[in-house]
């Protein structure tokens, strides 16, 4: 192969692997846009490509939309309006006929193992995925397996798989022993193996890239894991070869089967590839464009609902003493905060809430005492710049270590090969108490890592300390960044509450997915504590005042944590501050409890609508957090559809049903648009990831979701889950997080609509200046709308083209 051809081939491999979105491990599970690798292409084109290659659905079936029309939830005028915006036919009768007919499944690219499957025999296609998955689970194990897989770093992923497969005894029962000599003759180098497989398969050039993508998608969960490893390496300026090695493994499997398959199977395989090449792809694209029109019509209907509740002017402008509230409570923009904020403002009119990304502007990582490496507490799109350390009394740290060690030893005893079968007999009747406690929910929920091994008093004594290497000037700059982001340029209240969020669950591998996405799948406790500590620092306060900040000397910043399962808000520290106003604190505590009751009552309507008594509801929510069999402790972010960046008065007292990310933003306090740039390039993109993870998990749960939670088994310690005891690594959200048997879907598949109160020209400039954001907007993965100063809503169509809705 010439140098030019080799370079071209490597470019093909690189493009294929870049189409895969990453998946984060269970202990830092964050929502990911599953179409991230396709953001550079228009939505409808991607839908047609994925449906016509891997058979992956990107748009709901037209029959689903026809049902919405029949129920009156979707109207033909909205469909025609959407069709017009996408340059499609606006003939009403034509659309009626379209909704009445059933869609035809497009031809997709077949892989060789699928054509080798025979009725009544074990599936070759399934075996290939199982064999690769078993190997990868052992290879990447993070401490779950008691017997670790022996790895040779020199071999790499492909070389290790080759070595594993040569001695794999499962080949015989599948009738595949003949591939062993071919594998022995194959180079252990992944790059050479890819080139050999490419030449042997001889896929026509026009279909080659699509075929390789289908192969990688056949082990898409593990491909996403390898993409995560590459993502992490590139964030640190490095690289990682495992993803292309995984592609090599899948290509080599295809090639080995190619050399052992019957001639008739090979002939049929080649015919189907040729048929796919000759097939009219324009029909698939037209079908996807029509599907997008139906999706767009649903979004038009939802935007109209949001536009109807956005205020055109403040209900009652504050003047004089009222201008500065007694308390300002800063919440994460998470949609679950919208419900709590609304009720908290209602029960305490002298309080204002603020919406800001849950990391509170502190780009940090955090290392507990005794940990070998820090963990990220920053949006995964960004690199942490501040290293925060845990600080506390030595005896407490030692006690935590001893408790955690005893717990680990007990677990090892239960699971080890020597004792697992005799455990019940050994434990005997003494274990009945624990079984009853698990069943009746008498114990505490599973503890997050920062609480495990600690009593409440011990936990309160630990602090999150900024590094001593940070100069006073750097600390003051950080404080300015936080205050500016929170919109506290002026009028800071006597008490400012910084409220992170987390969730309480038991026996839930995806518990981190219920915590803060802005804190990389952790609770916001560390970020709230670090920000409050910084802003309470007397030297920092002096530096802020010297730079012109109008801060009341008695102003006190308190960290807190909102538990989104129980809706309890816990104040985490700062109560011993001498400047803290006790009367205000007492009023605040009462308001937090009242707001929690109202929030629980509202959320329970979606969980168990028959429960209406506040005390019964509170007990039920607490039990959900402790119940080891609960598959749905809360609905999390199901239903999310809007992102609103505007002054709070635009939406205050308005019921957005927990479907909107609320980010406070006042353009009058942002003269250089630095905060607007941050909002549009970080929190907005994170919200897009969350939105499209829910979207993808709804429209194709088989490929972008993780199936039935009841069947999940953790693999690799913290890598992810399998559904059942084998198959591909499952990604995305479970069915139980999206729907229930009584009320059906709890998440409506809509792309995110972002309402932002800022000048159109400035938003255009930010979009054009950020390649990631530009692709998401221009290719219709997200919709940008402007709230004008008068309250009129304009939708962005292109640079400089904004149309009123």
């Amino acid at each position: 192969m010439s140098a030019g051809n080799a370079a071209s081939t490597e470019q093909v491999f690189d493009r294929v692997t870049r189409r895969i979105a990453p998946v984060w491990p269970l202990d830092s599970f964050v929502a990911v846009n599953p179409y991230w690798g396709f953001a550079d292409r228009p939505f409808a084109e991607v839908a047609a490509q994925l449906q016509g290659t891997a058979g992956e659905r990107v748009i709901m079936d037209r029959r689903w939309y026809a049902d919405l029309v029949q129920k009156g939830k979707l109207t033909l005028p909205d469909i025609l309006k959407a069709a017009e915006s996408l340059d499609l036919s606006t003939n009403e009768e034509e659309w009626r006929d379209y909704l009445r007919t059933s869609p035809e499944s497009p031809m997709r690219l077949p892989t060789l193992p699928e054509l080798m499957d025979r009725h009544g025999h074990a599936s070759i296609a399934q075996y290939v995925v199982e064999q690769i998955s078993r190997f990868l689970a052992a290879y990447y194990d993070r401490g779950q397996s008691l017997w670790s897989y022996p790895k040779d770093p020199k071999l790499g992923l492909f070389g290790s798989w080759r070595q594993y497969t040569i001695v794999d005894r499962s080949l015989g029962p599948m009738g595949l022993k003949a591939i062993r000599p071919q594998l022995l003759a194959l180079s252990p180098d992944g790059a050479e193996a890819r080139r050999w497989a490419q030449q042997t398969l001889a896929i026509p050039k026009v279909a080659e890239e699509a075929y390789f993508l289908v192969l990688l998608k056949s082990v898409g969960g593990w491909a996403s894991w390898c993409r995560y490893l590459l993502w992490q390496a590139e964030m640190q300026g490095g690289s990682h070869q495992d993803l292309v090695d995984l592609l090599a493994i899948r290509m080599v499997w295809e090639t080995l089967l190619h050399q052992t398959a019957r001639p008739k199977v090979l002939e049929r395989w080649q015919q189907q590839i040729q048929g796919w090449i000759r097939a009219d792809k324009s029909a698939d694209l037209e079908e996807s464009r029509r599907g997008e029109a139906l999706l767009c019509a649903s979004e038009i209907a939802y935007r109209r609902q949001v536009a109807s509740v956005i205020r055109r002017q403040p209900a009652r402008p504050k003047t004089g003493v009222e201008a500065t509230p007694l308390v300002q409570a800063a919440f994460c923009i998470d949609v679950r905060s919208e419900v709590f904020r609304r009720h908290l403002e209602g029960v305490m009119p002298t309080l204002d809430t603020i919406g800001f990304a849950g990391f509170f502007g502190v780009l940090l990582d955090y290392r507990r005492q005794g940990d070998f490496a820090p963990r990220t507490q920053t949006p995964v799109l960004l690199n942490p710049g501040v290293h925060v350390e845990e600080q506390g009394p030595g005896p407490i740290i030692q006690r935590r270590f001893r408790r955690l060690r005893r717990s680990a030893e007990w677990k090892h005893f239960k699971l080890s090969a020597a004792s697992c079968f005799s455990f019940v007999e050994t434990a005997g009747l003494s274990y009945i108490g624990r079984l009853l406690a698990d069943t009746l929910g008498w114990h505490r929920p599973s503890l997050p890592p920062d609480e495990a091994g600690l009593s409440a008093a011990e936990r309160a004594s630990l602090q999150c300390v900024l590094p001593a290497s940070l100069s006073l000037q750097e600390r003051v700059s950080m404080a300015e960044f936080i205050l500016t982001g929170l919109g506290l340029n002026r009028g800071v209240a006597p008490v400012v509450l910084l409220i992170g969020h987390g969730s309480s669950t038991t026996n839930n591998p995806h518990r981190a997915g219920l915590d803060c996405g802005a804190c990389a799948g952790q609770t916001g406790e560390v970020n709230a504590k670090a920000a409050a500590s910084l802003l309470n620092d007397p030297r920092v306060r002096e530096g802020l005042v010297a730079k012109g900040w109008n801060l009341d000397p008695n102003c006190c910043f308190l960290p807190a944590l909102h538990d989104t399962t129980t809706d309890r808000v816990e104040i985490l520290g700062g109560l011993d501050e001498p400047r803290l106003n006790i009367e205000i604190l007492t009023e605040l505590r009462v308001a937090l409890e009242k707001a929690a009751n109202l929030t629980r009552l509202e959320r329970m309507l979606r969980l168990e609508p028959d429960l209406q008594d506040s005390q019964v509801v509170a007990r039920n929510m607490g039990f959900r957090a402790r119940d080891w069999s609960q598959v749905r402790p809360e609905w999390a972010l199901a239903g999310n559809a809007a992102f609103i960046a505007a002054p709070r008065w635009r939406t205050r007292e308005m019921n957005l049903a927990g479907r909107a990310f609320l980010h406070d933003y006042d353009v009058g306090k942002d003269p250089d648009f630095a905060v607007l740039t941050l909002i549009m390039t970080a929190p907005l993109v994170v919200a897009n990831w969350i939105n499209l993870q829910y979207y993808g998990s709804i429209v194709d749960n088989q490929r972008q979701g993780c199936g039935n939670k009841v069947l999940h088994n953790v693999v690799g310690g913290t890598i992810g889950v399998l559904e059942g005891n084998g198959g591909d690594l499952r990604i995305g959200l479970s069915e139980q997080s999206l729907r229930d048997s009584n009320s059906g879907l709890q998440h409506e598949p809509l792309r995110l609509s972002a309402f932002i109160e800022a000048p159109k020209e400035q938003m255009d400039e930010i979009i054009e200046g950020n390649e990631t954001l530009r692709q998401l907007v221009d290719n219709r993965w997200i919709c940008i709308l402007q709230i004008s100063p008068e309250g009129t809503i304009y939708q962005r169509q292109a640079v400089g083209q904004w149309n009123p809705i």
Side-chain angles (χ1 to χ4, degrees), residues 72 100 156 179 211 246 251 349 377 393 430 501 606 615 655 686:
R100 279 195 290 263
I179 73 170
Y211 196 84
L246 178 58
M251 289 174 65
Q377 293 268 162
S430 65
H501 67 92
R606 296 174 63 194
Q615 292 184 345
N655 187 348
V686 171

Side-chain angles (χ1 to χ4, degrees), residues 550-570:
N550 183 22
L551 287 176
D552 187 330
N554 293 321
C555 169
C556 187
F557 292 83
L558 301 179
L561 190 68
H562 172 205
D563 186 325
T564 56
T565 304
T566 63
D567 280 309
R568 177 173 177 265
V569 173
E570 177 188 5

Side-chain angles (χ1 to χ4, degrees), residues 375-391:
R375 68 163 191 253
T376 299
Q377 293 268 162
T378 297
V380 296
L381 294 165
L382 305 172
N383 260 325
V386 179
H387 307 287
V388 174
E389 300 274 344
E390 179 185 70
Q391 189 176 84

Side-chain angles (χ1 to χ4, degrees), residues 676-688:
L676 178 63
T677 302
L678 175 67
I679 290 172
M680 294 184 67
T681 56
L684 178 58
V685 177
V686 171
N688 164 262

Side-chain angles (χ1 to χ4, degrees), residues 408-637:
E409 289 171 348
W410 175 247
K411 185 175 182 180
H412 187 278
F413 167 71
K414 289 196 297 181
L415 299 178
S416 69
S419 60
C420 63
F421 292 107
S422 59
F423 174 75
V424 175
E425 289 83 355
T426 305
L429 295 176
S430 65
Y431 207 64
I432 288 179
R434 176 58 189 267
L435 293 176
L436 283 173
D438 285 345
T439 303
L440 299 176
W442 291 342
H443 52 68
R444 297 175 64 189
S446 298
L447 295 175
D450 294 342
E451 297 183 40
L454 296 171
S455 67
E458 289 170 338
R459 176 186 167 210
S461 70
L462 300 179
Q463 297 179 329
C464 304
V465 181
L466 294 171
S469 58
L470 276 178
S471 68
L472 179 60
Q473 182 179 355
E474 289 173 321
R475 292 168 186 257
V476 171
S477 296
M478 284 177 59
E480 285 190 289
F481 184 80
I482 295 170
L483 292 173
T484 302
L486 292 171
L488 298 180
N489 308 52
R490 50 184 177 267
V492 182
V495 175
V496 180
L497 208 57
L498 303 179
I499 307 174
H501 67 92
S503 181
S504 296
T505 62
T506 298
N507 189 32
N508 182 5
H510 288 101
R511 64 166 298 148
L514 302 177
D515 289 340
C516 186
C519 300
Q522 311 295 334
T523 73
E525 176 176 339
V526 170
N527 301 73
K529 282 183 172 180
S533 174
L534 177 70
L535 293 168
N536 285 330
D537 186 332
R539 295 190 305 154
V540 172
R541 294 282 276 272
E542 290 174 5
L544 289 169
V545 171
K547 297 185 75 171
W549 285 81
N550 183 22
L551 287 176
D552 187 330
N554 293 321
C555 169
C556 187
F557 292 83
L558 301 179
L561 190 68
H562 172 205
D563 186 325
T564 56
T565 304
T566 63
D567 280 309
R568 177 173 177 265
V569 173
E570 177 188 5
I571 298 175
L572 300 172
L575 300 179
D576 56 350
E577 283 280 344
R579 54 193 165 193
L580 181 61
N581 188 314
I582 301 302
E583 291 182 4
I584 295 177
L585 178 64
T586 302
E587 184 181 354
L588 174 60
R589 286 185 185 279
V590 173
L592 288 171
E593 186 56 37
K594 288 181 178 178
N597 282 329
L598 292 170
T599 304
R600 285 190 284 261
L601 285 168
E602 180 173 332
R603 286 199 171 126
M604 187 55 76
L605 291 174
R606 296 174 63 194
L607 290 165
E608 293 188 42
D610 294 336
L611 299 183
Q612 297 178 359
D613 180 83
S614 61
Q615 292 184 345
V616 174
V617 168
R619 287 197 297 269
N620 183 280
M621 291 290 197
F623 182 74
R624 284 177 174 274
R626 300 189 299 272
D627 184 5
W628 68 273
S629 65
Q630 179 57 254
V631 295
R632 193 179 295 114
E634 58 165 292
W635 279 117
L637 295 98

